[in-house]
Amino acid sequence: MRQKYLILGLAASIALAGSSSVLALADTTNIGDAWKGSAIGEAGAQEFGLETALGWIYPSVGATVVYDDNTYNSEDNRQSATSLFVTLPRLHLELDGDAGQLIRLSGQLTYDADFLNSGSRDLGAALAADAVVAPTEKLELKAGAGWEQNWEKRGEGVAEGPAAELFDKNIRYQETSLRVGGSYGADEERSPRLNFDAVRRDRSYKNFRELNRGRDSVVDQVGVSLLYWVQPNTAMTASVRFSEYDYTDSDYDSTQWRYLLGAQWDLTYQTQGYIQLGRGEKYMKSSRFENAADYNWEVGVRWRPLNYSNFVLSTSRDFVEEAGFGWSDKSEYRAAWIHEWDTHLRSGVIFNLGDQSYSSSIREDDYWDLALRLHYAFRPWLNFTGSYQYSDRDSNLAGYSYDKNVYSLGFEMSFF
């Protein structure tokens, strides 16, 4: 039996504003939909490496220009802005060995220049270390740690709606994270596989302290899931996740449970899917906020009529943590079409529709957005991307309804 050995990874990255970190150790909510439309078909430049005595080095850079005609996500204070996001040289080192040994080192910085009258300039960075050891073919254990300096864009989070006018810069934060987890079993018929993980995130805000002090938090999440293949192409699934949110302002503290039962299937090369149904429960420490308990779900189907074309439908519902504001009940429905027109050109059409109600107020929102994306591989090591997105949110609370158009154009280049 070929035994796997210790795999150590040290990496640093930061995603462009408005997206999740590439190295995020866990979602900030319990939602785990694997086929969210916005994540489909996203591929960067093929990394060409330079072989050294230590291993392979993959340096790369990228830049994106974004025009947003309503940068505050505001109904009344509509301001446009052009931003430049630059991913500074990312150094990526891989050391390969026998029996599955791998050491990976990488680092990346991101610069954000926002061209407003009060312009904002932000430099972000993130570091993460991960270790995986597989003492047997069925047992795999993981551990990780991360550090990140990043920012929340104006018009998001606490700077949303009417409050956006209180902020003349992006809201900066620092976050550290720890994770342990693993799996036991195999993806074989009549064979169960148990997955488990535990994550701690500690976030503190660095500016606008008078408004953000109460949002400093420590979040702990523990999850266990079981997958059992009853047939070669069909598996039954069960999962339980517990989350605890501890804020500097203890009024916002809460605990959350999520229980899901379901199945996943891989009927043919053309059709795959999953369905998980269950219950979510949210318990607030303060009587100022309501508790919650109701049905939750995650459902998705992917159809590939041709090897160069994908259609995806998915939906999910969960109680989403609103940092420092209690929680929201969020349901979302998504559709996407990803098509490769030739070996160089790929497009994506992505539609999202959802509704969201908030525990801390009478606020209820309905929203939808449509995104069009193009990806052009001029060379394997040089990719260009362009996108357009229209978003529309209708709220029953004054100041939170808005619509916006966002255009972007960017490139990613690998040096070797």
Side-chain angles (χ1 to χ4, degrees):
M1 181 183 298
R2 187 176 183 180
Q3 186 178 23
K4 297 179 181 177
Y5 291 86
L6 180 67
I7 301 174
L8 293 176
L10 175 64
S13 72
I14 192 169
L16 302 182
S19 61
S20 301
S21 171
V22 176
L23 293 174
L25 295 180
D27 289 337
T28 54
T29 76
N30 283 340
I31 292 178
D33 184 355
W35 293 352
K36 289 185 179 179
S38 59
I40 299 171
E42 295 297 322
Q46 181 178 343
E47 293 185 314
F48 286 82
L50 174 67
E51 187 174 13
T52 69
L54 295 176
W56 288 86
I57 299 177
Y58 303 86
S60 63
V61 297
T64 304
V65 177
V66 178
Y67 173 76
D68 187 335
D69 72 357
N70 187 3
T71 188
Y72 285 153
N73 293 348
S74 174
E75 183 177 19
D76 301 319
N77 184 25
R78 194 179 185 103
Q79 296 190 32
S80 61
T82 301
S83 301
L84 173 65
F85 304 101
V86 180
T87 52
L88 301 177
R90 178 171 61 88
L91 299 178
H92 180 85
L93 174 65
E94 287 189 358
L95 285 74
D96 292 307
D98 294 334
Q101 296 181 53
L102 171 67
I103 297 177
R104 177 176 296 168
L105 305 171
S106 65
Q108 187 175 5
L109 300 173
T110 297
Y111 177 70
D112 170 27
D114 210 354
F115 301 103
L116 286 170
N117 292 333
S118 58
S120 176
R121 307 289 185 269
D122 291 292
L123 183 66
L127 296 170
D130 293 284
V132 180
V133 58
T136 70
E137 288 189 345
K138 288 189 174 183
L139 178 63
E140 183 177 73
L141 301 174
K142 302 178 181 180
W147 170 88
E148 181 181 25
Q149 290 270 16
N150 208 335
W151 61 86
E152 295 176 356
K153 296 289 289 183
R154 282 166 289 178
E156 300 177 358
V158 71
E160 185 181 13
E165 299 179 25
L166 301 176
F167 301 89
D168 59 355
K169 296 180 180 179
N170 294 331
I171 299 174
R172 297 195 59 83
Y173 66 84
Q174 176 177 297
E175 182 175 281
T176 57
S177 55
L178 296 171
R179 175 180 181 177
V180 295
S183 64
Y184 181 79
D187 287 329
E188 300 173 354
E189 186 177 2
R190 306 297 179 182
S191 177
R193 190 183 76 212
L194 180 70
N195 301 306
F196 54 92
D197 70 276
V199 180
R200 163 164 284 204
R201 277 192 164 122
D202 189 341
R203 174 178 290 199
S204 60
Y205 289 88
K206 299 304 178 183
N207 56 354
F208 303 104
R209 291 295 298 165
E210 67 281 4
L211 298 172
N212 283 314
R213 185 176 294 108
R215 300 175 69 218
D216 293 350
S217 62
V218 176
V219 179
D220 293 308
Q221 294 183 316
V222 179
V224 179
S225 64
L226 179 66
L227 183 146
Y228 184 79
W229 289 93
V230 294
Q231 295 180 1
N233 56 7
T234 305
M236 306 303 295
T237 62
S239 64
V240 178
R241 177 163 290 275
F242 171 78
S243 303
E244 183 176 49
Y245 302 88
D246 183 8
Y247 290 90
T248 299
D249 187 337
S250 60
D251 268 7
Y252 302 129
D253 290 357
S254 68
T255 57
Q256 186 168 339
W257 291 90
R258 199 180 196 210
Y259 316 92
L260 294 173
L261 292 173
Q264 69 180 57
W265 58 91
D266 191 355
L267 298 181
T268 66
Y269 170 77
Q270 287 84 10
T271 306
Q272 299 87 37
Y274 63 89
I275 179 170
Q276 295 187 92
L277 307 175
R279 181 178 176 85
E281 299 175 356
K282 184 77 169 178
Y283 301 101
M284 303 298 298
K285 178 177 181 179
S286 172
S287 59
R288 293 198 305 118
F289 299 99
E290 294 183 359
N291 296 328
D294 212 330
Y295 298 110
N296 276 198
W297 66 77
E298 291 182 10
V299 182
V301 177
R302 175 162 49 197
W303 178 49
R304 182 180 297 175
L306 302 168
N307 60 4
Y308 50 82
S309 193
N310 282 269
F311 294 89
V312 177
L313 297 174
S314 67
T315 176
S316 59
R317 182 196 182 187
D318 194 11
F319 299 121
V320 177
E321 182 71 11
E322 302 291 340
F325 296 97
W327 52 269
S328 66
D329 184 354
K330 183 176 183 178
S331 301
E332 195 166 80
Y333 307 86
R334 297 169 287 270
W337 172 41
I338 308 300
H339 189 83
E340 294 184 15
W341 298 95
D342 57 33
T343 56
H344 300 284
L345 183 64
R346 182 173 65 251
S347 68
V349 180
I350 301 154
F351 177 76
N352 295 316
L353 173 69
D355 59 79
Q356 198 165 7
S357 58
Y358 294 77
S359 65
S360 58
S361 72
I362 62 171
R363 178 182 170 187
E364 295 183 358
D365 295 357
D366 295 314
Y367 63 90
W368 66 274
D369 57 79
L370 176 67
L372 308 176
R373 300 181 181 180
L374 284 176
H375 179 276
Y376 179 68
F378 179 72
R379 294 288 186 274
W381 48 269
L382 178 60
N383 289 186
F384 293 95
T385 58
S387 70
Y388 165 75
Q389 180 168 325
Y390 176 79
S391 301
D392 185 280
R393 182 175 289 266
D394 183 20
S395 178
N396 66 339
L397 198 61
Y400 289 93
S401 298
Y402 69 87
D403 66 272
K404 67 187 302 180
N405 298 275
V406 180
Y407 306 83
S408 71
L409 184 63
F411 77 91
E412 183 181 3
M413 181 176 67
S414 177
F415 288 139
F416 298 106

